[in-house]
Amino acid sequence: MNDPLLQPYRLKHLELKNRIMSTAHEPGYTEDGLVGERYVRYHEEKARGGIALTMIAGSTVVSKDSAQAFMNVQAWKDEVVSGLRRLAEACHDRGTAVMIQLTHLGRRTNWNKEHWLPVLAPSMVREPAHRAFPKEMEDWDIERVVRDYGLAAARMAEAGLDGIEFEAYGHLMDQFWSPATNRRGDQWGGSLDNRLRFAMAVLDEVRGTVGPDFIVGIRMSLDEDWRKGYGRAAGLEIARRFIATGKVDFLNVIKGHIDHDRALTDIIPVAGMAASPHLEFAGGIRAETRFPVFHANKIADIATARHAIATGQLDMVGMTRAHIADPHIVNRIIEGREDDIRPCVGATYCLESVYAGTGALCVHNPSTGREASLPQLVEPRSGPRRRIVVVGAGPAGLEAARVAGERGHDVVVLEAANRPGGQILLAARTPNRKDLIGIVDWRLARLTRLGIDVRCNVLAGMGDVLALDPDVVLVCTGGVPNKEILDEGSGLAVSSWDLLAGTVSPAAEVLVFDDNGHQPGMQAAWLAADAGSRVEIVSPERTFAPELGALTHAPYAEFFQEHSVTITINTRVSRLERRGNRLRATLFSEFTGSDVGERLVDQVVIEHGTLPADDLYFELRGLSVNRGEVDYEALIQRQPQEIRSNPEGAFQLFRLGDAVVSRNIHAGVSFAGRLGGFFNKPMGRRREPAALRTRDYFCSSCRRFASASARFSAMIDATTVPTHRRTEIHRKRCTPPDPA
């Protein structure tokens, strides 16, 4: 093939089969600092998907006093070799090379972990992100750490890896050479020669242990883009000095620094930020050095990756988060199916979930990190084809329909709105989350290819569902905003949805009461401030939006400061009252147990998650064979749902997503992915109309089941009486008398 991305690349003795790689990152799948089955399967899947090089274990630590900050692999342990060997062999079997990133974190960790050893750094300069006050390294510290690098590299070679790279942006190695972090007056500080002495000592030690043929690279910032740090000229000089040693085989180019959260988002851009912002910079470094250059920085689409290689800006293009979203990118290119690639939408849920302790999870690929229990490629069904009706086309409904369709079932999707997407259509309203629409677009494209019938503008009732003669009904009707959290006056407020949907315009002075701590309240505040409103966010939390990770927090913090948004924490709104054409909000503190002030504003916005829109589910429950019950063990094991608590039922019934309870996108698609297509044997032909004239029916007015005689059952037959009529009958006569 003539595709630039599919051309091989020779790095020293190593033949890489194409130009696509996954750069080093820590997915947080370690087991006591070691590589286990989950870690192996995660990288093996990328190898199965055709990638040429997977760089594993970002920030693998070489010393005990480099305490793991986010479940890092611990290269100082001899036991690390066996797990890495299994990983390397699994990838090599599929023609994929494996390298690893080695580092000492220096000041970029904390002392209150693992062995509680002092944090080390060239100088006693505290890093805001990890907050430790580091010890200035003594000569014996330096000698020991240099030895640790050599021993760690030897373990990597013993494990059969193809090479290593040093991590040198914000970690110990470049903490020595950056003037922002090295204030020493001895032979390790001052001149550039002195500041590079530590890195050169490490390089010599490593080469002494692994020999001249083992591949060694360095991932470094060529421009810290920081008033305290070094610029491009100094970065280029540092790179040239490494190249001149003849002991470095490639540069993995970065621009920027990671001293604080906002700076980190320039190196790891999130949704709404520019794509591939430093590609031209990396290309310039390659042009000036004429040396192998790798680079990754929000290169999420194939067109950009292809351009980077075709124009000679890069030798290997890193598509790291893109492979978290879809590990089979290369195979899809080879097969001419680029449109089938699941897109990375920049949500940064992968990184946030690492810091939350779950390991890397993709916001809309539930299989990533679960390869053993939820394969990336949907398996075709082993049993008969079933008729599946999905009500609701939000992320959970679309995923359920996709998985069921790919398993070979007959699927119909009913959506009340004029377009699919559910709450994602609201979430994508602000610039920092607009890329989320890719979650919807990709699934709709898949449904089209599968020939699945998606019907919009259908506010489905019981009759609509039963008319489709389903074997399985999946209720994915989502939720509705929950404003009922105040002691008084909730009805005077609007919801975050009102602003996001554009049904309500922001007023001149807006108070956003965020009692959720996630994106919707922040987006409402963003829209109001962007419209020129004076905005205050009030939250009972100890910080605003605590459910957001550091990288997604940063754009909000920047925007709110630029727009003078006031943020009040540790406080809740307890009451709302009208004062003329304005609203008086009373503020209450859980700490003092009393009112702590009031605000007179034009508009109050409440964000408190959602309540399930579950009327249809409860109307259908009595007609279903399982009464809506889910066998969780079967769900987890991806086994058929076999519950038959109602033998007279006509179909299986399940509800998904926010129709169950307010959660996030990943929770919805994960549940749908595990459930989709794993249903029990067909119910057989339903008896008409006896099965429909159930003796139990649900009343959406009093929200309970009622018994009905045979004569009254005929009046509520789902095939003849609309839902609203049944409800009206039930209001008048909730328990009809027996005709006898």
Side-chain angles (χ1 to χ4, degrees):
M1 291 187 179
N2 294 321
D3 189 331
L5 288 174
L6 300 180
Q7 300 309 305
Y9 178 68
R10 189 171 186 84
L11 179 65
K12 214 168 186 172
H13 61 274
L14 182 64
E15 183 85 7
L16 298 172
K17 61 184 179 181
N18 56 61
R19 300 301 188 94
I20 297 179
M21 68 178 292
S22 172
T23 53
H25 60 287
E26 180 47 68
Y29 302 152
T30 53
E31 301 167 18
D32 193 26
L34 304 177
V35 167
E37 187 67 17
R38 187 182 184 195
Y39 218 116
V40 171
R41 284 181 177 265
Y42 168 68
H43 284 284
E44 183 184 15
E45 192 70 37
K46 286 184 277 191
R48 183 179 287 111
I51 200 167
L53 168 63
T54 186
M55 190 85 76
I56 70 172
S59 305
T60 299
V61 293
V62 301
S63 303
K64 290 182 180 180
D65 55 5
S66 179
Q68 55 176 324
F70 35 85
M71 296 171 284
N72 312 60
V73 172
Q74 295 172 333
W76 53 266
K77 293 181 175 180
D78 289 334
E79 311 94 279
V80 78
V81 172
S82 60
L84 290 174
R85 183 180 290 120
R86 288 197 305 275
L87 191 157
E89 290 173 351
C91 292
H92 288 162
D93 286 346
R94 298 184 179 275
T96 295
V98 182
M99 297 188 197
I100 194 168
Q101 183 183 84
L102 297 183
T103 195
H104 190 295
L105 294 163
R107 68 181 192 143
R108 195 169 173 77
T109 185
N110 218 316
W111 48 264
N112 57 351
K113 302 172 185 291
E114 297 178 286
H115 304 291
W116 285 54
L117 299 175
V119 170
L120 298 181
S123 302
M124 295 180 67
V125 181
R126 180 177 184 259
E127 187 205 51
H130 289 74
R131 299 184 295 281
F133 291 94
K135 168 196 172 184
E136 183 173 296
M137 294 177 73
E138 300 175 63
D139 52 0
W140 56 270
D141 287 314
I142 293 173
E143 292 168 5
R144 174 179 49 78
V145 172
V146 168
R147 280 197 310 273
D148 287 345
Y149 265 100
L151 292 169
R155 293 183 186 101
M156 303 306 105
E158 182 185 352
L161 303 187
D162 297 289
I164 63 171
E165 73 171 10
F166 300 129
E167 212 276 27
Y169 62 99
H171 289 209
L172 184 61
M173 187 174 283
D174 63 296
Q175 287 166 23
F176 267 96
W177 74 56
S178 173
T181 46
N182 187 341
R183 300 176 182 175
R184 301 175 74 106
D186 59 7
Q187 73 270 32
W188 306 99
S191 69
L192 184 58
D193 284 338
N194 283 353
R195 287 185 280 120
L196 284 176
R197 192 182 302 275
F198 173 77
M200 293 300 182
V202 168
L203 182 56
D204 289 344
E205 182 75 15
V206 166
R207 275 298 178 204
T209 60
V210 300
D213 296 329
F214 195 66
I215 292 174
V216 176
I218 184 166
R219 190 175 194 183
M220 62 173 287
S221 175
L222 274 289
D223 180 355
E224 287 195 290
D225 194 20
W226 190 17
R227 60 184 177 82
K228 296 181 180 181
Y230 58 86
R232 185 179 186 277
L236 195 55
E237 175 62 22
I238 293 168
R240 283 177 171 146
R241 292 196 184 196
F242 281 120
I243 294 168
T245 67
K247 298 176 181 179
V248 171
D249 301 309
F250 66 88
L251 297 177
N252 196 339
V253 173
I254 296 290
K255 180 183 178 183
H257 67 285
I258 55 176
D259 185 66
H260 55 82
D261 293 341
R262 180 58 188 85
L264 184 59
T265 62
D266 287 332
I267 286 179
I268 310 175
V270 299
M273 298 179 71
S276 56
H278 301 150
L279 175 57
E280 186 176 339
F281 174 84
I285 299 300
R286 184 179 183 275
E288 292 201 47
T289 61
R290 299 184 181 276
F291 196 69
V293 166
F294 303 172
H295 175 66
N297 189 242
K298 203 182 180 185
I299 301 175
D301 64 284
I302 297 305
T304 301
R306 185 174 286 125
H307 169 77
I309 299 299
T311 56
Q313 295 183 82
L314 303 178
D315 295 290
M316 293 293 294
V317 59
M319 302 188 71
T320 308
R321 282 182 286 175
H323 273 81
I324 293 175
D326 190 340
H328 290 256
I329 289 173
V330 175
N331 282 348
R332 300 193 199 284
I333 296 172
I334 293 170
E335 295 163 5
R337 298 190 296 118
E338 290 180 26
D339 289 346
D340 286 348
I341 295 172
R342 188 191 312 242
C344 171
V345 297
T348 321
Y349 191 67
C350 47
L351 281 169
E352 291 183 357
S353 52
V354 171
Y355 281 103
T358 64
L361 301 171
C362 176
V363 71
H364 77 126
N365 184 349
S367 297
T368 295
R370 300 187 180 99
E371 285 81 7
S373 60
L374 190 60
Q376 292 279 354
L377 302 179
V378 177
E379 304 158 339
R381 72 183 192 278
S382 57
R385 192 180 196 205
R386 290 163 203 153
R387 176 74 160 172
I388 299 172
V389 175
V390 180
V391 185
L398 292 174
E399 178 69 357
R402 180 190 74 86
V403 174
E406 296 207 21
R407 282 182 60 76
H409 294 297
D410 178 16
V411 184
V412 176
V413 181
L414 307 178
E415 167 56 43
N418 60 6
R419 60 180 292 203
Q423 291 181 50
I424 288 179
L425 301 181
L426 300 178
R429 285 289 306 281
T430 53
N432 64 322
R433 303 195 80 198
K434 61 183 175 61
D435 295 342
L436 291 181
I437 201 65
I439 296 172
V440 177
D441 292 345
W442 180 77
R443 284 170 171 78
L444 287 178
R446 292 298 307 145
L447 297 189
T448 298
R449 285 181 178 81
L450 291 166
I452 289 175
D453 186 4
V454 180
R455 306 176 188 177
C456 293
N457 296 308
V458 178
L459 182 59
M462 181 189 290
D464 301 295
V465 172
L466 297 181
L468 294 170
D469 194 27
D471 294 305
V472 182
V473 178
L474 304 178
V475 176
C476 311
T477 44
V480 293
N482 181 10
K483 297 191 303 177
E484 300 302 318
I485 60 169
L486 307 185
D487 296 337
E488 299 175 24
S490 293
L492 299 175
V494 299
S495 73
S496 60
W497 285 26
D498 292 321
L499 265 63
L500 290 170
T503 55
V504 174
S505 298
E509 194 165 356
V510 178
L511 186 154
V512 177
F513 177 40
D514 178 41
D515 196 22
N516 182 4
H518 222 302
Q519 297 268 12
M522 298 304 100
Q523 291 188 272
W526 180 305
L527 283 176
D530 196 44
S533 304
R534 199 167 113 194
V535 179
E536 179 179 9
I537 299 170
V538 175
S539 171
E541 305 287 354
R542 64 174 66 98
T543 181
F544 82 90
E547 292 297 317
L548 302 185
L551 292 172
T552 46
H553 170 104
Y556 285 114
E558 179 182 6
F559 182 86
F560 291 158
Q561 287 187 348
E562 288 175 346
H563 290 76
S564 301
V565 173
T566 301
I567 298 173
T568 302
I569 58 173
N570 295 324
T571 306
R572 64 172 56 253
V573 177
S574 61
R575 300 188 303 278
L576 286 183
E577 306 168 74
R578 283 214 176 274
R579 285 292 181 267
N581 60 354
R582 308 194 81 193
L583 296 175
R584 184 174 77 175
T586 300
L587 305 186
F588 178 84
S589 168
E590 304 284 2
F591 298 94
T592 65
S594 61
D595 294 343
V596 291
E598 61 181 45
R599 302 286 190 271
L600 196 62
V601 296
D602 301 306
Q603 188 178 62
V604 173
V605 180
I606 291 177
E607 168 52 42
H608 187 62
T610 61
L611 294 171
D614 55 10
D615 282 356
L616 177 63
Y617 167 79
F618 282 104
E619 289 176 3
L620 291 170
R621 226 184 70 157
L623 302 179
S624 69
V625 71
N626 61 322
R627 295 188 180 274
E629 183 179 352
V630 180
D631 181 342
Y632 285 148
E633 189 60 35
L635 175 82
I636 293 167
Q637 299 298 326
R638 294 170 57 252
Q639 297 296 317
Q641 294 286 319
E642 300 281 5
I643 293 173
R644 298 177 65 92
S645 56
N646 178 23
E648 294 299 311
F651 50 83
Q652 287 184 292
L653 174 70
F654 305 96
R655 57 175 169 158
L656 295 79
D658 282 5
V660 180
V661 69
S662 182
R663 295 192 291 172
N664 65 11
I665 295 168
H666 181 83
V669 298
S670 172
F671 193 97
R674 287 180 292 176
L675 180 68
F678 292 91
F679 309 112
N680 67 2
K681 58 189 176 184
M683 299 298 106
R685 254 332 84 193
R686 284 169 288 285
R687 293 166 292 165
E688 301 286 356
L692 295 178
R693 290 202 303 266
T694 178
R695 292 182 176 275
D696 293 318
Y697 68 97
F698 182 77
C699 175
S700 58
S701 176
C702 63
R703 298 188 64 78
R704 69 181 182 85
F705 288 94
S707 298
S709 65
R711 179 171 61 84
F712 192 73
S713 292
M715 297 176 62
I716 62 167
D717 191 320
T719 60
T720 58
V721 183
T723 302
H724 68 86
R725 176 64 179 153
R726 294 195 303 279
T727 301
E728 182 180 329
I729 295 171
H730 198 187
R731 280 198 201 99
K732 294 178 180 177
R733 198 172 183 181
C734 201
T735 307
D738 190 276

